Amino acid sequence: MTRASVTIEISKLVPGESPRTGGRDEEHIARLAGLDATLPPILVDRRTLRVIDGMHRLLAAVAKGQRTVEVQFFEGSAEDAFLKAVEANVTHGLPLSLADRRAAAVRIVASHPHLSDRAIARSTGLGAKAVATVRRQSTEASAQVGARVGRDGKLRPLNSAEGRRRAAELLAERPASSLREIARRAGISPATVSDVRRRLTKGESPLPTTNDSSAGEVPPPRERTNVRQMRPTPSDPTAVLAKLVRDPSLRQKEDGRQLLRLLQQNAIGTEEWSELTAVVPAHCGSLVVDLARQCAETWLEFAQELNTRASNAGRVAVAG
C-alpha cells in the first residue's frame, strides 16, 4: 500500500547514512535539479528525521532554492532503516555500485542473520551465491540463529534436526494440533512432521539415521505407499469422482458436498494442467508456484490424516 506523503521543512531534515561508499554524486544532483517534473517523496525516519532514501533529491531541492520537500515516514530500527535504504537504491534512482552492494550485504548479514541468502540477495541486488560467500566470510554472523526467513516470509530451520526435535516436543504438548500447525511452529514441512509422528508412535527417535531413506524433508516411502494404496481403481479422476458423487453418504451432507466441490475443482487431467500453466504470466509465476505448493501440502496432509484414520479403524475392526 502506498504511504501518504507530507510536506516538511528542509531545515528540519538530517542527512542519513547512505549505502553509497563513494559519497554524493554532484552530476546526478545537477541533473535532478534541472528537471521540471516533480520528484518522488524522500523517505525519512520518523523518530530522528534522518534521510533514509533520497539524499540526492534533497540536495537537488536545496539547489533549486526550495524550503520544503515531500517526504514519507519510515518507522523501525536503525538496522531496518539501512536495509530499506539499500532496497530503495537497488530498485530505482542512481544504481549502487557492485562494491556498495557487497558492503551492504556484509552489514545486512550481520544485522539480519535470520534472513535467507535469497532474501538478502533480493534486497542488495546480488546473487544468492554471492551472499552465501559473504555469510561464510563474515565473523559477525557466526551461528547466531537456528533458522532463517526466506523471500516468501516463511521461517525455515538451518538444521532440520532442530526442527524435528521441536516438532517432537510440540506433538507431545499439543497432540490434537494439525500437522500444518506443528509444522508452522517448528519451521519444517507438514510431511516432515508426519514422519516425526510416525517415528514417535513406533518408539523411535524423531531423527532419521544416516542410512535412513526418509532423512530428507519428504514423507518416507512407507507412508507414500500407504497413500497410493488409498487410491481407488480405476485411477481416472473423472471416473473416481463420478463414483464419489453417487455415494449418498457424501452428497446428502453439507460437509460431504463441500468435499465433492473441492475434489471437482482439483480432479483435472495432466493436459488441462499444462494448459493452465500457459495462462500464468511470468511476473506471477513465483506467486502461483508458492500457492500451488501450499495447496499440495494441504492435500497431502489431508490424505495422510485420512489414511491414518482408515488404518486405525482397520486395526480396531481386526481386534474386535
Side-chain angles (χ1 to χ4, degrees):
M1 184 175 66
T2 304
R3 288 179 294 239
S5 61
V6 298
T7 302
I8 192 171
E9 295 180 8
I10 292 178
S11 59
K12 293 182 178 180
L13 298 178
V14 180
E17 184 178 10
S18 172
R20 301 181 190 280
T21 57
R24 63 191 189 186
D25 187 318
E26 298 294 343
E27 291 185 3
H28 186 56
I29 294 172
R31 284 196 297 270
L32 293 177
L35 296 176
D36 292 330
T38 302
L39 298 177
I42 296 168
L43 187 62
V44 174
D45 188 317
R46 184 184 291 276
R47 295 179 298 106
T48 63
L49 294 184
R50 288 187 178 276
V51 177
I52 295 174
D53 175 54
M55 197 63 206
H56 285 101
R57 277 169 277 157
L58 177 63
L59 294 174
V62 172
K64 293 170 68 173
Q66 294 180 209
R67 293 175 176 255
T68 61
V69 69
E70 291 293 308
V71 306
Q72 290 179 338
F73 287 120
F74 172 83
E75 296 184 10
S77 65
E79 292 78 10
D80 288 342
F82 180 79
L83 176 61
K84 191 68 178 178
V86 174
E87 292 175 345
N89 281 279
V90 164
T91 56
H92 68 80
L94 186 64
L96 293 176
S97 68
L98 178 59
D100 289 340
R101 286 180 279 134
R102 286 187 180 277
V106 171
R107 179 166 172 176
I108 295 170
V109 162
S111 64
H112 295 73
H114 59 287
L115 291 179
S116 70
D117 293 341
R118 289 186 179 277
I120 296 177
R122 185 177 185 179
S123 297
T124 58
L126 295 173
K129 291 184 178 179
V131 175
T133 301
V134 169
R135 193 188 295 275
R136 284 194 300 270
Q137 296 172 347
S138 174
T139 57
E140 297 183 53
S142 58
Q144 295 185 37
V145 291
R148 293 178 191 159
V149 178
R151 288 172 56 184
D152 56 3
K154 294 182 179 179
L155 184 68
R156 295 179 174 86
L158 301 183
N159 186 344
S160 62
E162 292 301 321
R164 284 176 171 268
R165 292 191 185 97
R166 178 57 178 156
E169 295 174 358
L170 291 170
L171 286 169
E173 297 171 1
R174 306 165 179 265
S177 296
S178 68
L179 295 178
R180 183 167 293 279
E181 174 64 16
I182 299 294
R184 184 182 65 80
R185 291 178 177 274
I188 58 179
S189 70
T192 304
V193 176
S194 176
D195 182 45
V196 170
R197 184 170 64 182
R198 181 184 67 84
R199 293 175 182 276
L200 295 176
T201 301
K202 295 174 62 178
E204 299 176 354
S205 167
L207 305 182
T209 61
T210 303
N211 297 325
D212 196 327
S213 60
S214 64
E217 297 298 306
V218 295
R222 178 179 175 181
E223 288 197 12
R224 289 201 296 269
T225 300
N226 288 340
V227 172
R228 284 198 295 268
Q229 289 173 349
M230 292 172 56
R231 295 176 182 171
T233 302
S235 59
D236 177 20
T238 304
V240 173
L241 186 59
K243 182 178 180 180
L244 292 173
V245 169
R246 291 194 299 270
D247 192 321
S249 60
L250 286 174
R251 58 187 174 86
Q252 291 181 1
K253 297 179 181 179
E254 178 57 34
D255 290 343
R257 290 193 293 271
Q258 181 180 0
L259 174 60
L260 290 173
R261 285 193 292 268
L262 289 173
L263 292 171
Q264 287 173 329
Q265 293 171 358
N266 287 271
I268 63 177
T270 304
E271 293 183 0
E272 292 173 273
W273 281 121
S274 299
E275 292 177 0
L276 288 177
T277 58
V279 175
V280 181
H283 67 277
C284 295
S286 60
L287 296 176
V288 176
V289 166
D290 288 341
L291 185 58
R293 284 175 175 164
Q294 292 177 30
C295 292
E297 288 181 358
T298 299
W299 277 109
L300 178 59
E301 179 183 345
F302 172 78
Q304 289 171 339
E305 292 187 0
L306 183 61
N307 188 41
T308 300
R309 191 179 72 173
S311 299
N312 292 337
R315 284 194 292 270
V316 170
V318 171

